[in-house]
């Protein structure tokens, strides 16, 4: 254990944030899984232990990924893109359908499933960071730089949006932020946004979940006219938040946990506010804001463009997802299936989030250890990145 602690590097504040989120996650999930345990006919403790195992496994993956030099992820990004696009296609056709959406692929022999969009987020962000950093000399060249970038963004966006619109929109927004940081021209960014808007319009009106998307938007825009069955989730989330008051009802004393669907996942922020009040909700928001602040510091100090873009993309993805989840809970957006990073109960989504944290820590580890930046090592890593 001492050896492991001695080998922990990177921004210590981010490690502290991960520990705090882990503790909040265990307390919140334990409060929210009563109904789920009843439906499954098992004890809440057994579900909690599985969740804790995922947290521990995630921290283990975070430790491993933070020990890997972040420049190795440049070469890995190409392989990830080659794997991700066929997996997204496979998921769209043969994936397990849950809540009318094909987002999951079963992992044979484990009883687990994972959302291919989680892998796609890592793949696209690392690929964009690699491409933008390598094409800086001819970044405005349409054939060599713009077409590969636009193709990657639009293809991944379309494949994810077919069954998971909220994740696709957030990933598209992160991609646009990376394009701006990567000095892509305003005209080219406008073309990418236009292409995304066309794809979005087509999927909303002609995609397999067009009815679901329209119903959610109409319920959000006109809640007074909405069907009570359609607004059930958002209504009870608002009741949970309103009944929390300033200091909340106390841990484990939520009443709306018995009514809210996915209280342990999509709507866990509403349960947190109900039990810990406005103070608890503000504290959680502050933790994510502080995470973004620490990540921005890493981005500004990163000596290489790839590291800066990589840390920026992953941190934007995590924080945008967090605030999107909380915005839905308080009624600032239509209902989505977006979990709260590192807090919501989830299997492989927790693991992929942990890897993202680990990669950010890998970038910060390089900043803290300037002795690593030697000519020989740069050449060695550069050779791998060209594989």
């Amino acid at each position: 254990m001492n050896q492991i602690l001695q080998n922990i590097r990177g921004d210590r504040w981010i490690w502290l944030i991960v520990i705090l989120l882990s503790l909040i996650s265990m307390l919140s999930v334990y409060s929210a899984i009563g109904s789920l345990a009843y439906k499954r006919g098992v004890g809440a403790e057994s579900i909690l232990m599985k969740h804790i195992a995922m947290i521990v496994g995630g921290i283990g993956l975070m430790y491993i990924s933070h020990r890997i030099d972040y420049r190795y992820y440049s070469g890995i990004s190409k392989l990830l893109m080659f794997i991700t696009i066929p997996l997204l296609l496979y998921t769209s056709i043969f994936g397990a359908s849950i809540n009318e959406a094909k987002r999951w692929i079963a992992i044979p022999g484990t009883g687990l499933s994972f959302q291919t969009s989680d892998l796609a987020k890592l793949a696209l962000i690392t690929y964009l960071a690699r491409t933008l950093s390598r094409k800086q000399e001819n970044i405005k060249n349409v054939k060599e730089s713009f077409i590969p970038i636009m193709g990657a963004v639009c293809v991944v966006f379309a494949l994810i949006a077919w069954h998971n619109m909220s994740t696709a929109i957030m990933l598209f927004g992160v991609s646009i932020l990376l394009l701006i940081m990567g000095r892509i021209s305003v005209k080219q960014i406008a073309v990418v946004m236009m292409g995304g808007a066309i794809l979005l319009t087509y999927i909303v009106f002609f995609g397999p979940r067009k009815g679901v998307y329209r119903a959610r938007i109409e319920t959000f825009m006109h809640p007074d006219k909405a069907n009570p069955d359609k607004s059930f989730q958002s209504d009870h989330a608002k009741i949970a938040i309103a009944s929390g008051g300033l200091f909340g009802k106390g841990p484990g004393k939520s009443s709306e946990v018995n009514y809210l669907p996915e209280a342990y996942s999509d709507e866990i922020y509403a349960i947190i506010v109900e039990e810990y009040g406005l103070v608890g909700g503000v504290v959680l928001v502050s933790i994510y804001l502080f995470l973004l602040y620490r990540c921005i510091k890493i981005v500004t100090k990163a000596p290489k463009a790839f590291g800066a873009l990589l840390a920026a993309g992953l941190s934007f993805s995590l924080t945008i997802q967090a605030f999107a989840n909380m915005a839905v809970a308080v009624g600032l957006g239509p209902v989505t299936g977006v979990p709260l990073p590192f807090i919501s109960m989830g299997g492989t989504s927790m693991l992929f989030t942990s890897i993202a944290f680990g990669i950010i820590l890998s970038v910060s580890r390089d900043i803290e250890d300037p002795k690593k930046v030697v000519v020989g090592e740069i050449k060695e890593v550069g050779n791998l990145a060209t594989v």
Side-chain angles (χ1 to χ4, degrees), residues 32-225:
I33 55 176
S35 298
L36 178 64
Y38 177 78
K39 291 177 182 178
R40 293 184 179 179
V42 298
E45 290 77 11
S46 64
I47 299 177
L48 177 64
M49 291 307 297
K50 290 181 180 179
H51 179 61
I52 292 175
M54 281 294 177
I55 292 176
V56 173
I59 293 176
L61 285 175
M62 190 186 313
Y63 175 79
I64 293 171
S65 56
H66 110 284
R67 293 293 300 173
I68 300 173
D69 191 302
Y70 76 90
R71 285 165 288 190
Y72 282 87
Y73 293 109
S74 177
I76 295 173
S77 66
K78 294 175 66 177
L79 177 62
L80 286 178
M81 285 299 292
F82 281 123
I83 294 173
T84 294
I85 292 177
L87 273 179
L88 289 172
L89 282 169
Y90 178 86
T91 304
S92 181
I93 300 172
F94 303 107
S97 181
I98 302 176
N99 295 331
E100 302 180 13
K102 291 184 178 181
R103 304 176 183 175
W104 291 265
I105 291 181
I107 303 175
T110 64
L112 298 174
S113 59
F114 79 99
Q115 287 194 54
T116 46
S117 59
D118 290 327
L119 175 62
K121 285 189 285 188
L122 281 176
L124 182 59
I125 289 171
T126 53
Y127 176 79
L128 285 178
R130 168 195 166 91
T131 305
L132 289 169
S133 61
R134 285 176 164 267
K135 302 287 187 180
Q136 282 300 300
E137 292 184 1
N138 56 350
I139 195 65
K140 300 186 186 300
N141 186 294
V142 174
K143 183 178 180 180
E144 294 186 13
S145 300
F146 177 66
I147 291 179
I149 291 171
M150 180 179 179
V153 172
C154 290
V155 168
V156 173
F157 170 75
L159 291 175
I160 295 176
W162 203 246
H163 289 280
N164 192 351
M165 181 65 72
S166 53
T167 298
I169 291 175
M170 286 186 291
L171 183 57
F172 187 78
V174 172
S175 301
I176 295 298
L177 289 173
L178 284 179
L179 296 186
I180 294 172
M181 292 181 63
R183 299 193 306 115
I184 295 290
S185 69
V186 175
K187 290 182 179 180
Q188 291 176 340
I189 291 175
V191 172
V192 175
M193 294 180 68
M194 186 178 298
I198 292 172
L199 289 172
L200 176 65
T201 303
Y202 178 83
I203 292 170
V204 168
F205 286 97
F206 302 102
R209 304 192 72 212
K210 56 181 182 292
V212 175
Y213 296 148
R214 291 181 188 175
R216 288 180 176 179
I217 294 173
E218 289 174 1
T219 300
F220 173 70
M221 297 297 295
H222 306 287
D224 54 325
K225 301 179 181 179

Side-chain angles (χ1 to χ4, degrees), residues 355-371:
I355 293 172
F357 270 116
I359 296 174
I360 294 170
L361 287 167
S362 177
V363 178
S364 69
R365 184 169 68 94
D366 185 74
I367 296 170
E368 292 181 356
D369 191 5
K371 293 180 181 179

